[in-house]
Amino acid sequence: MAAFDNGTYAVTSAPASGKSPNRVLVIDKQGKTTHASTQEVGAIHGNATDGANAVFGAFTSAEATSGGVLVVTSNGEQRMIANPAGFGAYRLGSIYYAAAARKFIGFVATKGAYLIDLSSNQITPIYAGTDAFQCKVDYAGNRLLVLSLDGKLRVYDLASNRLIKEGNVIGTTDSGATYKPVLEATNRFAYIALPTTGEVHQINLETLATTTKHKVSAKPVRLTLLGFESSEGHND
């Protein structure tokens, strides 16, 4: 489900749970359909919204031979934006909206991170490496962070889509590991939860140095940021 600023919602529908084809319709708060689906797609996964547009990762059909994103507007208009040529039978399974940069980002671990441009109806690579396993927009939506299996963190400025910092911040990750490190970021720090050590590493985004290691649990596999960032102490 994606919420629009006008009080309606874009919601998915399927013939049965986990089955294709899929559709997206727009409903009001009472559940009444305000705009019916006009596009049939396959296996929707991942969505984000800027309040006027909702973007869903999907295959172009139930056959799942090619992918793209389904764009649904609050007034019910729908269109597919195709993945780049030669992308193969993949979909962008994670969709993010970077609020400060006003940009949509799509990610799939086997293909990398991509800019979704709604004005030009194009999907273009930001990082096209097949080794990326975590991709997150920072809390404010200014930067994109990509973590790869070799332990390297890449930081992109979303205003210019330019790589501004990269370096190894953790050890290598086994591509076959059931539980892999999890990444989140604020304006100043990246936070990486490491299931193998039971720690969350706090990494300075200016230097890419680890500033603190927080012992949290035996095997942290989820990470969520809440609130706001401050260096003030409780008694300051």
Side-chain angles (χ1 to χ4, degrees):
M1 180 181 72
F4 292 123
D5 289 344
N6 66 2
T8 62
Y9 304 88
V11 297
T12 60
S13 67
S17 179
K19 301 295 184 181
S20 285
N22 295 166
R23 289 183 175 273
V24 173
L25 58 151
V26 180
I27 63 172
D28 62 19
K29 293 179 179 179
Q30 287 70 47
K32 178 183 177 181
T33 298
T34 60
H35 299 287
S37 166
T38 62
Q39 295 273 343
E40 185 176 271
V41 298
I44 287 174
H45 194 284
N47 73 83
T49 180
D50 61 3
N53 304 279
V55 177
F56 296 82
F59 289 107
T60 54
S61 69
E63 285 69 35
T65 56
S66 62
V69 295
L70 175 64
V71 181
V72 180
T73 68
S74 58
N75 63 7
E77 295 178 358
Q78 301 190 8
R79 68 186 188 277
M80 282 291 297
I81 301 177
N83 286 336
F87 202 84
Y90 299 93
R91 65 183 173 189
L92 297 172
S94 296
I95 309 294
Y96 305 106
Y97 179 64
R102 298 183 179 180
K103 292 181 177 180
F104 286 95
I105 308 297
F107 171 73
V108 58
T110 47
K111 302 295 286 188
Y114 292 78
L115 175 68
I116 302 167
D117 191 328
L118 302 192
S119 60
S120 66
N121 290 320
Q122 290 185 313
I123 297 174
T124 55
I126 296 175
Y127 177 73
T130 60
D131 59 345
F133 70 95
Q134 281 282 286
C135 169
K136 294 292 175 67
V137 172
D138 73 8
Y139 197 63
N142 287 303
R143 290 178 290 188
L144 182 75
L145 289 82
V146 177
L147 185 61
S148 51
L149 293 170
D150 58 1
K152 181 176 288 186
L153 180 66
R154 295 169 175 85
V155 183
Y156 296 85
D157 172 26
L158 286 174
S160 62
N161 302 326
R162 181 175 60 90
L163 177 67
I164 56 175
K165 186 76 67 173
E166 65 177 329
N168 286 79
V169 295
I170 60 172
T172 59
T173 297
D174 181 1
S175 62
T178 301
Y179 300 109
K180 296 182 178 66
V182 181
L183 170 69
E184 294 291 348
T186 63
N187 184 54
R188 297 166 55 198
F189 297 101
Y191 297 87
I192 302 176
L194 300 173
T196 56
T197 66
E199 298 172 330
V200 172
H201 288 197
Q202 183 175 335
I203 298 162
N204 186 303
L205 288 178
E206 292 300 319
T207 64
L208 295 188
T210 300
T211 61
T212 309
K213 297 180 180 180
H214 304 276
K215 184 65 178 179
V216 291
S217 67
K219 187 178 290 183
V221 295
R222 293 287 185 271
L223 191 60
T224 300
L225 296 179
L226 299 171
F228 63 94
E229 190 171 48
S230 172
S231 296
E232 295 183 4
H234 290 294
N235 298 318
D236 294 346

